[in-house]
Structures are given as C-alpha cells and as structure tokens.
Amino acid sequence: MSILCCFFLFLLSQSVTAEVISPPAQTHAISSRSDSPFSLGSPHAVLSLGDPLYFRESPQPVLEYQAARRTSHPGCKDWCEYRIDEYAISNNVWGKDNIKEYSAPYAQCIYSAGVKGPDQAGWDWIWPAWSERKVLAYPAIAYGWKPWSQESTTANLPKQVGAINELTVSYQLEFHATGIYNLAFDLWLTRSSIPSPEGITREIMIWIDQEGIQPAGTLVDNIAIDEMDYAFYKKKFKEWDYLAFVSTSRSRVGKINVKRFLEYLLKNAHITREEFLASIEFGNEISAGKGRLELQKYLISVR
C-alpha cells in the first residue's frame, strides 16, 4: 500500500449533485465499538463518536482535539489518497474547495487497516453546519479512472457500456452518522476511453442511505430493481446529465447489480451503449454533522 498525499486541489472534481433540505428532528444514534480500528485509542482513531453533536452543542472540545489530529495524521490532509490494489480511497473535499467564503474548522480523515484489499478501510468526519448548507465533501473509495485522475486503478475500466456483461458491487459496512449526508455510489460516463472532465457525459448515482438531503433534479420515475424500490431523478447540468436512483430503504450489507441500472437507463434512452464507464465510487456526500464508515467487505466485479 502506498500513500499519495495530494496537496493540489481539484476544484471541479465532483458536480453539485445534491440539494440540502431541513434536517430532521431526530438523528441516528452513534455508538463507539471498542474493537473497531476506528475507535478512540486506536492508531487509526481520529474522532470520538461520543462527542456532542457538532452543530447542536459547543464544538470547542471537538475543535481542539480535531485540530491537533489534522496536523499529525497523514490521512487527514485534504485530497490525500490511499491506493490499495485496484482501489483508491480519497479524502475528497470538493464542495468546501468550491466555496471561497468557507472558513469553519472541520476534520475529515481516511484510513486503511489492511495491507491487501479495501476491507477495514474507511473514513470519518466532523463538519459544522453553516448558513449555505451545500455539499462540502465526498470521502469515497474509487475503482477505475476518475475523469480528474491521471490513470485507472484497474485494467477493467474504462469499459464501453455496451460491452459490459457483468457489473456488481458486494459490500458490508459499519456506518454511524448524524447530521446531513447521504451514502451513495457515483458512476462517471465519458465519451472516450481516456477520461477527462471535458469528456464527461453522465453522472449516475445510486443512493442507499440519506438524511436531510435529496438529489438534484426532478423525480422522473419510481422503479424496482432486484426487489428494491428506487425513486429516479434527472437533471441536466451545463457539463453533463445527472441521473440518481434513491433507495426507499437503508442498506448496510448487500450486492448491487449495477448492470441492471445501466439496462434501465439504456432502455429509457438516458444513456447510450457507445459511452464509456470510467469509474465507480462509493462514499458519503456530506453537508453537516459527523460520522464514521468502515468497510468490512467491498468487492467490485466487472467483465
């Protein structure tokens, strides 16, 4: 495993793909797990999930703790990246970088406890709420060639949509969060097999959890894929089309047959067979709050 700390900023590395709505009165309970590689006291620890809610109570103790850790832990640097086999975990803060007036203290860190494969890798975060309530970050694990990257993490992608015979993602995770966020897959389609920001044609998201946030665009359809119900949204940005499937239930373990989603989009003329699937990401779009995600199993199969 190598660590590539990227100190340059990719200001356009993601689109504004979610719209924040008023946070609910209730939030999910957060609990620490003593045997987790992300619990306080571990070499990988950055947050204590027993701290008070960052945007509801005094943040000062959390701020002091986080400020100390952000300067000493390499995985807490903005845009740092861990490469693990065919995957890359990125400390993505695209939204914060696009907001010139953003100045609130925050912490977001990525980890990998394994030597081979992404199992027991993950990230945690603590972001204060602020008046604009925009998406600030998307810590995520990527597979393939992101349009802003220099190369692919795997020989399997990019691949033309019409040539994809199988595309599944198996996952199992421990996830706790409060605030305003989602948990979603993010797929990038491009015009050619050499991806670039200028060559992006579509962004496809599959949300499997959300709180206080909804996708951009308008509701187009309600569908069922593999006995799971999704609301399908679409929005045309200047640069590309945004397509989002939002699950009506929350998921922590499962197997997503991504090819079924591509088949639906092909059938309804939202994408074409000639486009290339450049990359698949999985992470949290975050607007405010705090949380922790640990990947206990994560495997992508494409052929």
Side-chain angles (χ1 to χ4, degrees), residues 161 164-168 257-264:
V161 170
I164 296 174
N165 297 312
E166 175 186 316
L167 180 56
T168 60
N257 189 337
V258 180
K259 182 173 170 57
R260 298 281 178 86
F261 293 88
L262 297 179
E263 289 172 345
Y264 169 85

Side-chain angles (χ1 to χ4, degrees), residues 49-86:
L49 294 182
D51 290 332
L53 267 179
Y54 192 58
F55 51 93
R56 290 189 180 178
E57 302 178 35
S58 171
Q60 194 58 38
V62 181
L63 292 178
E64 293 173 355
Y65 178 66
Q66 294 298 333
R69 292 295 291 176
R70 287 190 73 245
T71 59
S72 62
H73 195 294
C76 300
K77 302 289 186 181
D78 290 353
W79 292 107
C80 261
E81 183 177 276
Y82 290 152
R83 287 290 298 270
I84 313 167
D85 288 351
E86 295 183 295

Side-chain angles (χ1 to χ4, degrees), residues 86-88 138 140-147 153-154 157 164 166-169 184-189 204 206 256 258-259 262 277-283 298 300-302:
E86 295 183 295
Y87 303 86
Y138 182 64
I141 182 169
Y143 179 89
W145 192 334
K146 291 178 60 177
T153 67
T154 174
L157 293 179
I164 296 174
E166 175 186 316
L167 180 56
T168 60
V169 183
F185 296 92
D186 199 9
L187 287 67
W188 295 99
L189 301 192
I204 304 168
I206 305 171
I256 294 282
V258 180
K259 182 173 170 57
L262 297 179
L277 173 61
S279 63
I280 304 172
E281 297 176 75
F282 179 60
Y298 192 77
I300 293 180
S301 177
V302 55

Side-chain angles (χ1 to χ4, degrees), residues 81-100:
E81 183 177 276
Y82 290 152
R83 287 290 298 270
I84 313 167
D85 288 351
E86 295 183 295
Y87 303 86
I89 302 176
S90 174
N91 200 27
N92 184 328
V93 292
W94 72 268
K96 186 270 295 184
D97 286 345
N98 282 341
I99 302 170
K100 294 180 180 179

Side-chain angles (χ1 to χ4, degrees), residues 7-58:
F7 296 103
F8 49 91
L9 302 177
F10 296 101
L11 298 183
L12 295 177
S13 66
Q14 302 283 350
S15 69
V16 179
T17 55
E19 297 172 346
V20 177
I21 59 179
S22 298
Q26 299 294 325
T27 55
H28 298 301
I30 286 184
S31 61
S32 297
R33 191 163 64 90
S34 60
D35 61 334
S36 166
F38 305 98
S39 60
L40 190 62
S42 157
H44 299 282
V46 175
L47 324 165
S48 166
L49 294 182
D51 290 332
L53 267 179
Y54 192 58
F55 51 93
R56 290 189 180 178
E57 302 178 35
S58 171

